[in-house]
Structures are given as C-alpha cells and as structure tokens.
C-alpha cells in the first residue's frame, strides 16, 4: 500500500489512495471485481443504521505521494479529490464526526492545500482540523530512516497527534 497518492501515485499504478478510502465506505459501486476504483456488492458492509459504528474522529494523512511541490499541475485535482473524499465520508458518518487532516512530516508542500480543504469542507458544516505533523524529522524525536519517520519518530507523532485530538474533541 505504499506510494499511493490522492490525485496521482508517486510510483505508478491505477488505484489511488482516494479510491481505496472511498471503497472502505462502499460508496463507489462496481460489479467488476477487477475494478480498482470500485466496490463490489459483497464488500458493501456500511449502512447508516443505529447499530453501525460511527467514529467520533477520523484521521487522514494523504498528500506526500502526490508530490505537489514537484507536480503543481496536480494541485487542482488533489484539492477537489480531497474535498470530495472528506465530504463523502462526512455524509456517511454524519455531523458528529470530526476530521483531522494531517500534513507532514516527510513533505510540507501540500500543507496549504490541506488547509484549503479544511476551509472548504467547513463551508458545508464539516468539522475539520489541521493535524500538523511538520517538524518531526528535525532530529528531536530520533533519526529518520531514508527520509521516513523511524519508530521513535512515529511514537512522537502519535503522542502529539493523540494529545491534539483529545484536546480538540474534549475527551
């Protein structure tokens, strides 16, 4: 599952992270089990009945693999795809779900785009917040591994993110 982008993958392939996300919501129907963009009927488990799990919070961190800094022609598609993804998830989960849209730590060029998405979805009544994960590769949390967070860095990101989500949600 590495290398998937929101609008375009970094390393080829047709299935995008945005496709995979929407498939988890069973919102893109398809009768073709080979359709990388669709959800077949046997995978449509989600319903809006009272006995279905509805999350209080959803964390999304997509954008690093789109490499918007190196591919600015993807910005419009990235923004629209991300906005639609959050709006689709919010429509399924309901108004009680808050979204934490992360940016960083491996790439920061898409942070302004994430903030744009947050502003846009807020106009539709969706609660969304920036989960800022920038700065975790500066050595304060351990050494990165080939430009990626190490286990120690992941732990620092998790603790920081959990604290931010807890405070924001009032838990």
């Amino acid at each position: 599952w590495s290398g998937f982008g929101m609008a375009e993958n970094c390393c080829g392939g047709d299935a995008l992270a945005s496709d995979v996300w929407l498939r988890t919501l069973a919102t893109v129907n398809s009768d073709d089990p080979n359709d990388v963009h669709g959800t077949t009927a046997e995978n449509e488990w989600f319903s809006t009945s009272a006995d279905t799990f509805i999350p209080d919070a959803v964390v999304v961190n997509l954008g690093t693999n789109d490499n918007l800094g190196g591919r600015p022609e993807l910005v419009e598609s990235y923004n629209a795809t991300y906005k639609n993804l959050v709006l689709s998830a919010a429509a399924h989960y309901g108004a009680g779900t808050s979204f934490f849209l992360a940016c960083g730590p491996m790439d920061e060029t898409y942070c302004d785009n994430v903030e744009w998405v947050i502003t846009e979805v807020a106009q539709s009544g969706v609660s969304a917040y920036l989960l800022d994960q920038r700065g975790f590769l500066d050595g304060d949390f351990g050494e990165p591994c080939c430009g990626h967070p190490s286990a120690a860095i992941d732990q620092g990101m998790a603790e920081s993110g959990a604290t931010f989500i807890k405070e924001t949600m009032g838990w």
Side-chain angles (χ1 to χ4, degrees):
W1 294 100
S2 182
F4 287 126
M6 177 71 75
E8 187 173 313
N9 298 329
C10 75
C11 310
D14 293 327
L16 300 170
S18 48
D19 294 325
V20 174
W21 174 262
L22 292 174
R23 286 186 351 213
T24 67
L25 296 176
T27 58
V28 182
N29 297 327
S30 175
D31 293 327
D32 180 0
N34 295 316
D35 179 2
V36 297
H37 303 289
T39 300
T40 57
E42 62 270 10
N43 293 329
E44 293 178 8
W45 60 270
F46 188 85
S47 73
T48 56
S49 66
D51 61 347
T52 300
F53 171 75
I54 303 295
D56 293 321
V58 173
V59 176
V60 182
N61 188 349
L62 295 172
T64 297
N65 291 323
D66 291 281
N67 185 23
L68 298 181
R71 299 188 291 190
E73 69 277 8
L74 295 179
V75 167
E76 187 175 328
S77 176
Y78 174 87
N79 288 353
T81 302
Y82 206 160
K83 177 183 171 182
N84 290 335
L85 182 147
V86 173
L87 291 175
S88 178
H92 283 277
Y93 291 144
T97 299
S98 295
F99 292 84
F100 292 84
L101 309 184
C103 177
M106 298 177 342
D107 185 6
E108 300 177 4
T109 58
Y110 65 102
C111 294
D112 289 343
N113 303 89
V114 173
E115 292 189 67
W116 179 90
V117 171
I118 291 168
T119 300
E120 288 291 309
V121 300
Q123 294 175 20
S124 296
V126 176
S127 296
Y129 308 91
L130 178 66
L131 181 58
D132 194 344
Q133 297 183 319
R134 292 175 281 196
F136 280 93
L137 298 181
D138 64 4
D140 289 345
F141 297 90
E143 291 301 315
C145 179
C146 301
H148 289 76
S150 63
I153 295 170
D154 281 339
Q155 180 178 350
M157 290 170 55
E159 290 171 358
S160 175
T163 298
F164 177 71
I165 292 168
K166 181 180 176 182
E167 290 173 358
T168 303
M169 297 297 293
W171 295 339

